[in-house]
Amino acid sequence: MRLFLRLLTATLVLMIGLFLGSNAQIVTIRLVPDEMDIGMPKYDVPLYSLVLAFTCVGLVIGVLSEYLRAYKYRKNARKTLRQVEVLNNEVKFLRGKSKSETDEILSLIK
């Protein structure tokens, strides 16, 4: 298993290295097109940093949307867990309750 994880890690590091090496050209980012140049700044960044930044933004958006989507299920699970705990406590209480005299007499009759 360790060998598999090390091979997987090495493969991922190699792939990321190849990605960074092949996308090192500089690109210019503008907020508006050149025809509408109203003094907005332009940024020159390597392409890989732009791709990695938008990948991270997409990952964060995906995780947040999944978290919000599953909220009602987690809420329902917490509610059910509280009900189970209450019922377990009630069972423990009822099992630990001492039998009354009538209960003892009825158990002798059976």
Side-chain angles (χ1 to χ4, degrees), residues 90-106:
E90 186 176 339
V91 167
K92 286 180 186 177
F93 174 74
L94 292 174
R95 285 186 180 166
K97 192 176 180 183
S98 64
K99 295 182 178 180
S100 67
E101 187 177 323
T102 57
D103 287 340
E104 290 176 9
I105 294 171
L106 289 174

Side-chain angles (χ1 to χ4, degrees), residues 78-90:
R78 281 193 304 269
K79 182 180 174 184
T80 304
L81 184 61
R82 275 189 238 116
Q83 290 173 348
V84 167
E85 288 175 356
V86 167
L87 292 173
N88 281 338
N89 289 336
E90 186 176 339

Side-chain angles (χ1 to χ4, degrees), residues 42-59:
K42 299 175 185 177
Y43 302 101
D44 294 328
V45 295
L47 180 60
Y48 66 83
S49 65
L50 190 63
V51 171
L52 290 176
F54 279 106
T55 301
C56 290
V57 168
L59 181 66

Side-chain angles (χ1 to χ4, degrees), residues 22-88:
S22 65
N23 292 306
Q25 61 267 26
I26 301 295
V27 294
T28 302
I29 299 175
R30 298 178 193 96
L31 297 178
V32 294
D34 281 339
E35 294 81 23
M36 297 176 53
D37 191 16
I38 54 174
M40 297 296 285
K42 299 175 185 177
Y43 302 101
D44 294 328
V45 295
L47 180 60
Y48 66 83
S49 65
L50 190 63
V51 171
L52 290 176
F54 279 106
T55 301
C56 290
V57 168
L59 181 66
V60 168
I61 290 172
V63 166
L64 286 176
S65 66
E66 179 62 22
Y67 177 81
L68 293 174
R69 185 197 65 81
Y71 175 75
K72 61 183 175 184
Y73 300 112
R74 288 192 311 276
K75 182 179 176 183
N76 190 17
R78 281 193 304 269
K79 182 180 174 184
T80 304
L81 184 61
R82 275 189 238 116
Q83 290 173 348
V84 167
E85 288 175 356
V86 167
L87 292 173
N88 281 338

